[in-house]
Amino acid sequence: GEAEAREFFERALSIEPTYARAYAGLSLSHFNDWTCQRWNQWEEGERLAFEYACKAEELDETDHVVQAVLGRIQVYRRNFGQGRRHLERMLALSPNDADTLMQTAIYFGFLGETERSVEMVE
């Protein structure tokens, strides 16, 4: 479904080129390819995931979903300090969004904050 999702995000951008969430969605679709599906295109998936996430942040640095996406990518890139900064920013912007908390909790676990991760899930 990643290719189909990209079509929808690109369609949204054709209507509203400054829609940060569409760039975040493109980023996540490439993140999924990078980390779960297309091992033979590792570098390209990583690059596209990061570039689209950066574009999303450039357009709206106050969007908590954008911050969560950037945090996830930075943790996977082993830029742990930057990843933590984005994850903390996500929490500051929207501490009660259950969907984002569930998706983000695992990354605090990767950062060694397992108790915090469990609290977020609960």
Side-chain angles (χ1 to χ4, degrees):
E2 302 301 337
E4 184 180 14
R6 285 185 197 124
E7 289 178 22
F8 287 117
F9 294 127
E10 288 168 1
R11 188 179 314 159
L13 289 170
S14 73
I15 296 167
E16 178 52 64
T18 62
Y19 186 37
R21 287 267 178 107
Y23 283 104
L26 284 170
S27 173
L28 282 175
S29 73
H30 287 287
F31 177 88
N32 291 339
D33 276 350
W34 164 39
T35 60
C36 303
Q37 299 172 41
R38 297 187 185 200
W39 298 97
N40 61 337
Q41 297 175 346
W42 179 270
E43 291 84 11
E44 180 183 14
E46 178 185 15
R47 179 183 61 77
L48 290 171
F50 185 65
E51 286 177 4
Y52 282 124
C54 288
K55 178 66 175 178
E57 185 182 41
E58 178 185 312
L59 292 169
D60 189 354
E61 65 184 21
T62 64
D63 187 314
H64 70 286
V65 172
V66 170
Q67 294 300 320
V69 169
L70 267 167
R72 172 187 303 199
I73 290 168
Q74 292 291 23
V75 168
Y76 262 76
R77 294 177 91 200
R78 298 184 180 181
N79 296 325
F80 300 119
Q82 291 176 24
R84 180 183 308 279
R85 181 177 62 82
H86 289 293
L87 296 173
E88 294 290 354
R89 178 89 168 120
M90 181 280 300
L91 287 172
L93 290 167
S94 186
N96 298 312
D97 179 343
D99 290 334
T100 307
L101 288 172
M102 287 298 293
Q103 294 176 33
T104 304
I106 190 171
Y107 301 103
F108 280 103
F110 289 169
L111 293 171
E113 296 186 38
T114 54
E115 288 181 25
R116 185 177 195 184
S117 181
V118 169
E119 287 174 13
M120 291 172 70
V121 170
E122 290 175 342

